[in-house]
Amino acid sequence: MEFVEVSEGLARILVPKAERIYDAPVFYNPVMVLNRDISTLAVRVLGVQSVLDALSATGVRGIRYALETSTGEVWLNDINENAFRLMVENVRRNTGVDPELGERLAKFRGERLITVTNDDANRIMANSFRHFELVDLDPFGSPVEFLDTVLRSVRRKGFLAVTATDTGVLCGAYKHACRRKYLAEPIRGELCHEAGLRILIGTVARYAAKYDLGVDVILAYYRDHYFRAFLKLKSGARKADDSLGRLGYLWQEENGSFRYGEGFLPDRPGAHGPLWLGPLKNQEFVEDLLSAAGNAPLGDPRETPKFLRVLAMELDVPFFYDTHALARRNGLQVGKLTRIIEELRNSGYHTTRTHFLPTAIKTTAPFEDVMDVLKESQQPI
Ligand code: SAH
């Protein structure tokens, strides 16, 4: 293997040299820097003391947790042997500790512990009963094959950080795969990304419920063709019932109007879901991330704070109106987005842009009022 050194945050790691990232013997995706930035900020802000980076590849994520947060224990794991060797080397370079091949534990800066293993994440998590305060699942594709064991290994009031890169599945390009993996009916069209994210969260909520665990979404977003959710677990049957109570369904008409409603079963045909209809963020947490970003060694100091600002200002209601899709669906010209937002605000409706789609708005206004404003905002060709 040939390597190149890359810096990210405080970490300087070796990654395999490859023409295309998916051909590399160990996976490293520079596009995911923002994902790792936000995750590192989250570990910092939450102040968690033990973290498992269950699918670590080069080790970059866990190494950043070790270097950039005050967490007392970081465990890095990957099933791939090349990845394991590289993680060991990268830990050695970044922390000065020498986790010899086969040796499992290494002390880092006094009391802090770094563990590097070469095992199936499911086995590690099954064996670590309620041990970790935060577990990070950042797989290729879907995280569903790890959900049972992750809920076993995380503390009952701990945190789960989950990535899903199978956006084609969650967004309805492969409907049957979505039914198989998430037991949910996806939607196509402009709402597919938000619906996909909510299907993912809804799935975690259903897995958690059988262990009498509820979930709070502290932040969930879609970006660069992946979904990411940070969830806080809540212990107790009542909490699990409450979370299941936030699941429901979505319906959309040809003209772009939509309706959603909570319920264990859909109350009319054509439903998409089940999906999470609760909040996608805890405002205080997002603001804490944003202020932590101000003095953190970020991998992408330009994009990460910018994206967090978008998330912080976004109105947190289910779904949105895409001005382009509405115009297309109803044979209109597209007006200016800033003007549409201003008009709706002038009419007293809370309205913002959304990170899901640059041409869309989240608003408390009903469909008819959005359409009126859209018509008024039309510009002659
Ligand atoms: N989290 C990394 C990227 C991980 S890519 C980052 O931020 O850069 C997904 C990794 O999961 C791959 O290295 C793959 O070898 C590993 N993997 C796949 N199935 C696994 C399993 N069952 N147990 C442990 N690792 C697994």
Side-chain angles (χ1 to χ4, degrees):
M1 262 196 269
E2 265 195 88
F3 297 98
V4 286
E5 192 181 69
V6 301
S7 314
E8 190 185 306
L10 292 184
R12 291 175 73 82
I13 60 150
L14 295 181
V15 308
K17 215 171 181 173
E19 285 282 302
R20 297 179 314 167
I21 54 171
Y22 294 100
D23 294 337
V26 183
F27 189 71
Y28 175 77
N29 186 355
V31 168
M32 287 298 218
V33 169
L34 178 133
N35 177 325
R36 289 184 289 267
D37 274 354
I38 294 179
S39 306
T40 309
L41 292 170
V43 169
R44 245 205 215 209
V45 162
L46 296 171
V48 293
Q49 280 308 301
S50 51
V51 181
L52 171 65
D53 177 11
L55 312 155
S56 193
T58 59
V60 60
R61 190 176 282 268
I63 289 170
R64 291 192 60 189
Y65 294 155
L67 297 177
E68 297 170 35
T69 79
S70 58
T71 185
E73 179 188 1
V74 182
W75 188 320
L76 295 75
N77 176 70
D78 202 288
I79 199 168
N80 177 300
E81 203 180 323
N82 290 323
F84 173 66
R85 287 180 211 278
L86 191 55
M87 286 190 291
V88 167
E89 177 58 23
N90 281 327
V91 166
R92 182 182 287 138
R93 287 167 163 254
N94 282 277
T95 67
V97 298
D98 211 354
E100 287 295 317
L101 289 182
E103 188 189 319
R104 299 216 149 185
L105 302 181
K107 291 243 190 254
F108 165 54
R109 286 193 195 145
E111 296 308 300
R112 298 173 46 186
L113 204 57
I114 291 202
T115 307
V116 185
T117 50
N118 182 201
D119 203 345
D120 187 327
N122 275 321
R123 189 181 0 241
I124 300 279
M125 295 191 289
N127 280 340
S128 316
F129 185 59
R130 296 184 189 171
H131 179 77
F132 297 103
E133 247 182 293
L134 184 145
V135 178
D136 194 328
L137 287 179
D138 184 60
F140 303 135
S142 171
V144 285
E145 65 182 286
F146 304 108
L147 289 182
D148 274 307
T149 49
V150 81
L151 289 160
R152 184 178 165 81
S153 71
V154 78
R155 298 227 185 125
R156 286 189 67 83
K157 290 177 181 171
F159 298 91
L160 218 61
V162 187
T163 307
T165 64
D166 56 338
T167 42
V169 174
L170 284 159
C171 295
Y174 312 102
K175 181 166 101 171
H176 292 281
C178 189
R179 290 178 177 176
R180 289 195 304 274
K181 291 197 183 301
Y182 299 96
L183 293 171
E185 192 69 23
I187 188 170
R188 309 246 30 207
E190 68 270 26
L191 299 182
C192 77
H193 292 120
E194 182 166 344
L197 177 60
R198 291 179 181 277
I199 286 173
L200 171 68
I201 297 165
T203 304
V204 179
R206 283 182 285 152
Y207 270 80
K210 67 184 156 185
Y211 303 108
D212 288 346
L213 289 167
V215 300
D216 266 343
V217 179
I218 56 172
L219 181 61
Y221 66 86
Y222 162 72
R223 165 118 188 174
D224 303 325
H225 307 291
Y226 71 88
F227 297 110
R228 181 76 166 157
F230 296 90
L231 308 174
K232 179 171 172 43
L233 299 181
K234 298 185 293 185
S235 181
R238 278 278 305 282
K239 299 281 200 293
D241 290 343
D242 290 347
S243 291
L244 287 188
R246 303 311 305 265
L247 298 185
Y249 297 86
L250 166 71
W251 292 262
Q252 191 181 32
E253 306 293 332
E254 280 300 314
N255 65 2
S257 67
F258 59 80
R259 166 187 176 270
Y260 55 84
E262 290 177 351
F264 191 69
L265 296 172
D267 59 13
R268 59 172 178 154
H272 301 279
L275 38 75
W276 174 256
L277 290 173
L280 292 184
K281 63 175 171 176
N282 172 311
Q283 189 62 29
E284 200 184 327
F285 176 65
V286 181
E287 280 164 22
D288 287 349
L289 292 178
L290 197 50
S291 53
N295 58 359
L298 300 173
D300 192 339
R302 218 179 66 86
E303 279 303 313
T304 299
K306 196 170 137 198
F307 187 59
L308 285 172
R309 271 193 290 278
V310 173
L311 295 174
M313 61 74 73
E314 182 167 330
L315 175 66
D316 193 8
V317 293
F319 302 108
F320 54 77
Y321 294 105
D322 175 26
T323 55
H324 285 204
L326 282 193
R328 188 176 61 244
R329 285 171 178 275
N330 297 282
L332 304 172
Q333 298 297 315
V334 189
K336 239 183 136 194
L337 192 67
T338 46
R339 200 170 134 208
I340 294 166
I341 292 175
E342 209 177 277
E343 283 300 314
L344 286 166
R345 284 180 182 165
N346 287 343
S347 312
Y349 296 116
H350 193 169
T351 306
T352 68
R353 289 173 184 261
T354 169
H355 79 280
F356 286 108
L357 206 54
T359 51
I361 52 166
K362 290 216 170 219
T363 180
T364 52
F367 177 72
E368 293 69 28
D369 294 45
V370 175
M371 285 303 291
D372 285 347
V373 168
L374 223 66
K375 283 175 194 156
E376 283 162 24
S377 77
Q378 280 201 77
Q379 288 153 357
I381 315 167

